[in-house]
Amino acid sequence: MLWKFALRRLLAAVPVVIGVTTVTFLLMKVTAGNYVPGLDLNPDLRPEDVAKIRHELGVDQPLYVQYAQWMTGIFLHADFGRSLRDGTPVLQHLLVRLPASLELTLTAILIGVGLAIPIGVVSALRRGSMLDNLLTGVSVAGFAVPQFWLGLMLILLFSVSFKGWGLPWLPSGGQQSTVGGGDILDLIAHLVLPATVLSFFYLSIWSRFVRSSSLEVLSQDYMRTARAKGMTERRAVYVHALRNSIVPLVTLVGLELPGVLAGGLVVETVFSWPGVGLLTYESAKSYDFTMVMGATTFVALAVVLGNLIADLLYAVLDPRIRYR
Amino acid sequence: MGIKRRSDPGFDTFERFLDEWSRRDFLKSVGIGAAYVAFMGGGVAALDACANAGQSGQTQSQTPQKGGTLIEGWSTEPQYLLPVRSSDVYSNVANRLLFEGLLYLDNKGNLQPNFAEKSPDVSGDGLTYTFKLRTDIKWSDGSPVTPDDVVFTYQLYYDKKYDGLLGNARPNAVRYIKNASANGNTIVIEATSRYAPFLITYGVVPIVPQKVLGAKTALELNTDAFNSGPPISNGKFKFQSWSKGDKLVLVRNDGYFRGPVNVDSWIYKKVPDSVAVLQQLKTGEIDVGRLDPSTYDEAKAESSLNVLSFLTFGYDEFVFQLDPAKPQGQILGDVAVRQALVYGLDRQAMVNASYFGQATVANSLIPPLSWAYNKDVIPKYGYDVKKAGDLLDSAGWRMGSGGVREKAGQKLTLDLVTNADNTVRVKNLQIMQEQWKKIGVDAQVRSLANLVQLSNLLTVDRTFGVLFIGYSLNPDPDQSGIWHSRAAASGGNNGGSFKNAQVDKLLDDAVAEIDQGKRKAMYTQLQNLFASQVPGCILCYPNGIYGVNKRVHGYDLNAFWVYGGGFSPYMRNVWLEQKK
């Protein structure tokens, strides 16, 4: 039964969530302590005012009380706490940033999947050829090259240099033009560079998986049978091999789904893409630890959910996997 | 006292701003495009030198055009739009365009009436300042700015009722403002004691609306929505939107009492870092951006940009730990050791290598732009390795094995700290480490992640030997907030615990003295005393470097007006060449 399977998975996720939140909470408390940004800039604050402010933020409570309050807030009231910097709800910040992250990561994943499958299959079919070696080289490079470096290089070439040479150029950052932006062409122009960098990373990994699973599938008995009964190679590959060889890809993409919410932190920072990743980075820099905690937990919950969905899809795609 | 820690440096040489300000140098150093800019702002009285304007390809009989959006790119985001709440210069860039005060600063650093009808009457004892509020000042919703708004605003700074309101403005204000009251259009502000920088500090307090904020408590104000989007304003612009992490948009306030500004809107755009600032200046994605000294040459070479470069009120320094209770304090407590460490540094080489020449080696703690600057400070410290060695020898630090000096079995090892996210400072520390090695000092470089941590180390934790930091200062020469023994209390900026009764007295007397001539004499003495005591080494005065797109006219930034200082009067004259 699918729903039983789903329920079982859901229950299994509970300890994971508790573990993740506890670790996040403790990690932030260990690094930031009960630091309140801004208090240190005002040396003449009277101790009673400091106490008042700390009480307001709840950081004067024992750790376990703070943890309990935080958890009840999240799970009973969907309240991820308030930013220490401007006092607005963390969730509000996250929701404002989410669409931008979704736009970027989903595009990157689509490009990644769209390219990883043909690249992987072609590599497998032409195993050992020049083409295979070339594609292998590209994907190793894509995995090895740091995203921030690739991002900066692309900005230098396609924004700064192209502009200097009088060629059509791509914007170096942001989700849309600062003034008068927002139309579809403008949005696409801004999306090209960050999505390229992010998808390059995805497709490098995924194409390797598709290649090896294709190789495995191609040597399966049922493939030989298909060929033996006179099916054309093309038809055998498309009908029998392809579907089976992308099964592991589903898991991998499922694992990346939470990344959709976290956004590519590095890519978002390099391209000043106003998503969740940039928010997390900026918050960490300014010691807004409720914000970092909120964002991390939000993403952690999404990881759990993403894996659950992947598991279900996996079962649907591959009939060998039975719901137990 | 308006001292703010600068999170990153920037800034270039352009002679001694006030003393040697001359049109010729100005034209030479920034080019005709920017000279026109200065002209528009009134910086140059009459620009007869327009004759050579042809070379820039700009037509000069340009009349200001209306409209357009000016985009400034900054790598640090503002935090609070409620002025009293903000402690960082970046917030001030924005909130000073929204809110203005009784007085403003002109381009010579003189106070001029703004919302006040005329300059205030000061009582004989220097304790009471009487202003007359103009009756034609309006909030952007059309209602008048009332004397009650003014009194309320000052209460936010000094009144006990607002204890607990965060931001670094209150501590000093509480010390010096006694009361504010209104009678009709007359506003009386009383000082607790004679305080020479009173007007330059508190005459320019940005007025905020009582009807919006009056009912809120200090704690509410700390995180009030006003900080992220004030519904009404009285300055050149009004708030439109702020998508945090991306951009803050202000639009022209047509009801501004000096008449609407030329541009339609002004945007503060968050740009990832200083590298991206230059990139986006080049692509035209931003119109104005502050540049890193390392990018100065590249920006100069870019034909679409004017590069403004000027000395500012501020310095980069390293402070010595003098507290004998700390292990490093025992070494550095000896003035001969401190002097030796300064003699042992080739500071010009540091300026060349770390600031790419865009800074001036400092001799005094008061910057050359100030009227109180003493250019003949005694002693002056040149680069003199031999003298450094002699001083250390005489202090008992003998060269030991491995090239490190020793005294009574203790090695001369120093702990050298700064924030890692500031590349100029990190580089400085590496050079210092290398140069001090030559005089037998073993310096261990330690980097903290960011300025927050460094501030905390300086003001609270204080377990450092030598700490490198930078300050942006008020135009007023008072630096009690950094060097007075009062600031050695926990939380203060005097993290090296420099306590010198004579320095304290000079600082206190100088702020209590209204006569500028007498003040100057005290500061001359202070500068000499500081130089001989070297509680810290003022390394250099870094310059402000700004790239401005040539389509922007009238962007006449100067040392008094950076970071919204004096309410950025030049913004009234800024206009944009419309794209054809």
Side-chain angles (χ1 to χ4, degrees):
Chain A
M1 287 288 105
L2 187 57
W3 67 269
K4 253 189 178 165
F5 175 75
L7 191 68
R8 196 189 301 271
R9 287 282 161 172
L10 205 60
L11 283 175
V14 171
V16 178
V17 170
I18 292 177
V20 165
T21 49
T22 314
V23 169
T24 311
F25 182 81
L26 288 178
L27 214 58
M28 286 317 292
K29 285 293 168 186
V30 167
T31 36
N34 290 325
Y35 177 81
V36 177
L39 281 185
D40 54 334
L41 283 167
N42 201 343
D44 286 10
L45 272 181
R46 295 175 313 180
E48 56 263 41
D49 293 320
V50 174
K52 231 194 297 181
I53 290 164
R54 299 177 73 87
H55 180 72
E56 189 100 327
L57 293 164
V59 292
D60 55 342
Q61 308 269 16
L63 268 193
Y64 65 91
V65 177
Q66 288 188 42
Y67 180 68
Q69 283 174 344
W70 186 58
M71 290 296 278
T72 11
I74 291 176
F75 291 102
L76 297 185
H77 314 290
D79 174 8
F80 285 77
R82 282 164 177 274
S83 159
L84 286 181
R85 283 204 298 172
D86 60 10
T88 49
V90 169
L91 191 64
Q92 187 184 317
H93 279 269
L94 287 171
L95 293 179
V96 166
R97 299 300 194 91
L98 208 51
S101 282
L102 284 175
E103 179 192 335
L104 174 61
T105 5
L106 282 179
T107 312
I109 287 180
L110 279 179
I111 299 175
V113 170
L115 292 177
I117 295 173
I119 289 176
V121 171
V122 166
S123 287
L125 288 176
R126 306 257 186 286
R127 184 183 186 181
S129 69
M130 280 287 284
L131 186 65
D132 182 27
N133 290 337
L134 182 74
L135 291 172
T136 304
V138 169
S139 71
V140 169
F143 193 61
V145 165
Q147 288 181 335
F148 71 87
W149 184 85
L150 184 64
L152 288 175
M153 288 302 121
L154 291 183
I155 291 174
L156 254 181
L157 181 63
F158 289 103
S159 300
V160 182
S161 297
F162 269 42
K163 162 98 183 187
W165 297 333
L167 294 168
W169 53 283
L170 290 165
S172 68
Q175 190 190 12
Q176 52 174 276
S177 290
T178 315
V179 186
D183 58 285
I184 187 80
L185 276 178
D186 182 58
L187 290 175
I188 291 175
H190 281 82
L191 191 55
V192 173
L193 290 183
T196 305
V197 174
L198 199 55
S199 65
F200 196 45
F201 178 73
Y202 287 147
L203 87 88
S204 304
I205 308 172
W206 294 345
S207 64
R208 303 308 296 160
F209 275 94
V210 173
R211 180 181 179 273
S212 47
S213 74
S214 297
L215 281 176
E216 194 190 321
V217 167
L218 287 173
S219 62
Q220 290 290 330
D221 289 346
Y222 58 80
M223 284 303 291
R224 203 172 36 207
T225 312
R227 292 191 194 104
K229 73 179 183 183
M231 199 179 256
T232 61
E233 183 68 21
R234 175 184 293 262
R235 195 170 149 74
V237 168
Y238 283 120
V239 174
H240 295 288
L242 196 58
R243 181 174 151 151
N244 286 310
S245 59
I246 61 172
V247 167
L249 190 60
V250 175
T251 316
L252 288 170
V253 175
L255 283 173
E256 282 306 328
L257 277 180
V260 165
L261 302 174
L265 191 144
V266 175
V267 174
E268 285 190 2
T269 308
V270 170
F271 288 96
S272 55
W273 190 267
V276 177
L278 186 62
L279 175 74
T280 313
Y281 174 72
E282 293 285 338
S283 306
K285 275 208 323 196
S286 56
Y287 277 59
D288 191 347
F289 68 85
T290 46
M291 189 82 99
V292 178
M293 260 161 55
T296 316
T297 314
F298 191 73
V299 170
L301 294 180
V303 173
V304 174
L305 202 68
N307 285 351
L308 187 68
I309 293 172
D311 276 345
L312 295 179
L313 271 181
Y314 205 51
V316 171
L317 265 180
D318 188 345
R320 283 172 302 183
I321 295 166
R322 294 276 156 249
Y323 322 118
R324 274 174 284 123
Chain B
M1 54 261 110
I3 292 162
K4 316 230 170 200
R5 283 175 214 121
R6 231 179 10 240
S7 81
D8 49 334
F11 310 145
D12 152 316
T13 308
F14 160 18
E15 323 299 77
R16 301 270 135 83
F17 197 79
L18 281 185
D19 304 41
E20 296 167 39
W21 166 282
S22 83
R23 186 166 61 231
R24 182 181 301 267
D25 287 336
F26 185 76
L27 288 175
K28 211 161 50 191
S29 61
V30 296
I32 187 63
Y36 193 77
V37 164
F39 169 62
M40 293 308 298
V44 180
L47 196 76
D48 53 352
C50 262
N52 55 3
Q55 65 191 46
S56 75
Q58 286 189 12
T59 47
Q60 25 171 308
S61 57
Q62 285 166 317
T63 44
Q65 296 170 5
K66 300 267 177 205
T69 299
L70 180 74
I71 307 173
E72 299 196 10
W74 294 83
S75 55
T76 307
E77 215 180 11
Q79 310 231 331
Y80 303 102
L81 296 181
L82 174 61
V84 66
R85 175 70 176 89
S86 97
S87 299
D88 63 298
V89 291
Y90 307 100
S91 295
N92 294 352
V93 170
N95 65 40
R96 262 60 175 176
L97 290 176
L98 293 168
F99 304 101
E100 299 194 356
L102 294 168
L103 305 177
Y104 80 95
L105 265 189
D106 68 14
N107 63 353
K108 301 277 190 294
N110 297 318
L111 288 165
Q112 304 289 352
N114 196 42
F115 287 0
E117 278 178 8
K118 56 186 178 57
S119 297
D121 296 323
V122 186
S123 65
D125 58 5
L127 292 180
T128 310
Y129 299 83
T130 309
F131 296 87
K132 257 220 149 36
L133 181 68
R134 290 172 65 135
T135 50
D136 58 347
I137 316 288
K138 299 229 175 340
W139 293 107
S140 52
D141 65 356
S143 62
V145 172
T146 65
D148 288 346
D149 287 323
V150 178
V151 170
F152 165 72
T153 300
Y154 279 87
Q155 284 171 346
L156 290 177
Y157 286 79
Y158 78 86
D159 198 321
K160 287 214 108 20
K161 196 163 73 171
Y162 293 105
D163 281 345
L165 181 54
L166 295 175
N168 68 357
R170 265 186 65 87
N172 196 55
V174 169
R175 188 184 311 281
Y176 291 112
I177 307 178
K178 187 175 167 194
N179 191 43
S181 58
N183 181 5
N185 267 346
T186 306
I187 289 152
V188 178
I189 298 170
E190 293 163 71
T192 50
S193 57
R194 277 160 70 103
Y195 183 53
F198 193 88
L199 281 179
I200 206 167
T201 316
Y202 300 117
V204 294
V205 163
I207 307 302
V208 293
Q210 183 187 29
K211 61 179 175 185
V212 179
L213 300 169
K216 293 178 172 147
T217 65
L219 293 189
E220 283 167 351
L221 287 171
N222 281 336
T223 54
D224 192 76
F226 195 92
N227 284 302
S228 308
I232 54 174
S233 60
N234 57 32
K236 300 175 187 73
F237 291 90
K238 51 190 181 180
F239 176 82
Q240 188 180 52
S241 66
W242 187 0
S243 43
K244 295 207 172 153
D246 183 16
K247 65 183 176 188
L248 164 66
V249 184
L250 307 184
V251 292
R252 186 183 58 229
N253 176 11
D254 286 322
Y256 180 57
F257 80 113
R258 290 185 204 276
V261 296
N262 293 319
V263 298
D264 287 340
S265 51
W266 177 93
I267 292 179
Y268 187 115
K269 185 182 178 193
K270 167 79 175 72
V271 175
D273 51 37
S274 56
V275 179
V277 168
L278 180 61
Q279 284 168 350
Q280 299 205 1
L281 275 171
K282 282 179 160 186
T283 59
E285 284 166 279
I286 58 174
D287 296 311
V288 177
R290 205 185 71 195
L291 296 169
D292 227 40
S294 63
T295 58
Y296 177 80
D297 287 341
E298 198 183 339
K300 270 296 227 195
E302 176 65 36
S303 62
S304 66
L305 296 180
N306 287 317
V307 181
L308 301 179
S309 175
F310 47 85
L311 208 55
T312 56
F313 286 98
Y315 53 70
D316 279 6
E317 62 140 2
F318 49 91
V319 53
F320 295 119
Q321 181 57 260
L322 306 180
D323 183 356
K326 306 212 163 58
Q328 297 268 297
Q330 285 160 12
I331 300 175
L332 294 165
D334 185 345
V335 68
V337 173
R338 304 199 294 271
Q339 290 175 336
L341 289 170
V342 183
Y343 277 120
L345 279 187
D346 185 353
R347 293 188 290 150
Q348 187 58 50
M350 288 174 74
V351 163
N352 292 345
S354 312
Y355 300 84
F356 297 83
Q358 304 299 317
T360 313
V361 171
N363 292 313
S364 163
L365 77 162
I366 294 178
L369 290 179
S370 171
W371 50 262
Y373 174 64
N374 172 16
K375 67 180 194 309
D376 303 313
V377 146
I378 309 163
K380 276 195 169 72
Y381 294 86
Y383 178 42
D384 193 337
V385 175
K386 187 176 175 313
K387 196 160 184 179
D390 291 348
L391 277 165
L392 287 172
D393 282 338
S394 66
W397 291 96
R398 301 278 167 192
M399 198 57 98
S401 58
V404 179
R405 288 173 187 271
E406 289 173 16
K407 181 179 177 179
Q410 190 191 6
K411 280 190 182 300
L412 186 44
T413 302
L414 294 179
D415 162 50
L416 202 54
V417 200
T418 198
N419 50 325
D421 57 353
N422 187 318
T423 49
V424 172
R425 288 183 197 164
V426 172
K427 202 162 174 184
N428 276 331
L429 257 58
Q430 288 163 351
I431 299 174
M432 284 158 70
Q433 183 183 36
E434 219 167 274
Q435 296 195 340
W436 282 348
K437 204 175 186 175
K438 291 181 192 153
I439 55 170
V441 176
D442 171 34
Q444 301 288 334
V445 172
R446 180 155 65 102
S447 297
L448 300 179
N450 54 38
L451 190 70
V452 176
Q453 292 187 354
L454 190 72
S455 302
N456 190 51
L457 183 68
L458 177 72
T459 59
V460 182
D461 184 303
R462 294 181 169 167
T463 52
F464 63 85
V466 180
L467 184 144
F468 198 103
I469 197 161
Y471 287 101
S472 286
L473 306 163
N474 240 356
D476 190 87
D478 177 42
Q479 288 183 26
S480 304
I482 309 177
W483 302 112
H484 198 287
S485 64
R486 207 167 46 223
S490 179
N493 284 317
N494 187 353
S497 296
F498 173 58
K499 292 174 186 164
N500 182 307
Q502 219 182 330
V503 166
D504 283 0
K505 185 166 164 21
L506 280 169
L507 285 168
D508 288 340
D509 289 352
V511 293
E513 177 56 64
I514 309 289
D515 183 272
Q516 190 162 311
K518 289 183 188 161
R519 271 190 94 191
K520 185 168 179 172
M522 294 177 194
Y523 284 120
T524 302
Q525 223 184 319
L526 176 75
Q527 289 167 76
N528 292 338
L529 188 57
F530 184 91
S532 64
Q533 287 295 312
V534 275
C537 169
I538 313 296
L539 178 74
C540 65
Y541 315 112
N543 297 344
I545 312 171
Y546 287 79
V548 181
N549 192 299
K550 282 185 177 162
R551 84 183 184 104
V552 182
H553 297 256
Y555 203 90
D556 182 21
L557 198 57
N558 65 40
F560 299 103
W561 293 343
V562 289
Y563 303 123
F567 312 116
S568 308
Y570 63 93
M571 281 303 299
R572 284 183 54 221
N573 303 308
V574 167
W575 61 275
L576 304 169
E577 249 171 79
Q578 307 298 323
K579 279 174 196 143
K580 279 151 199 128

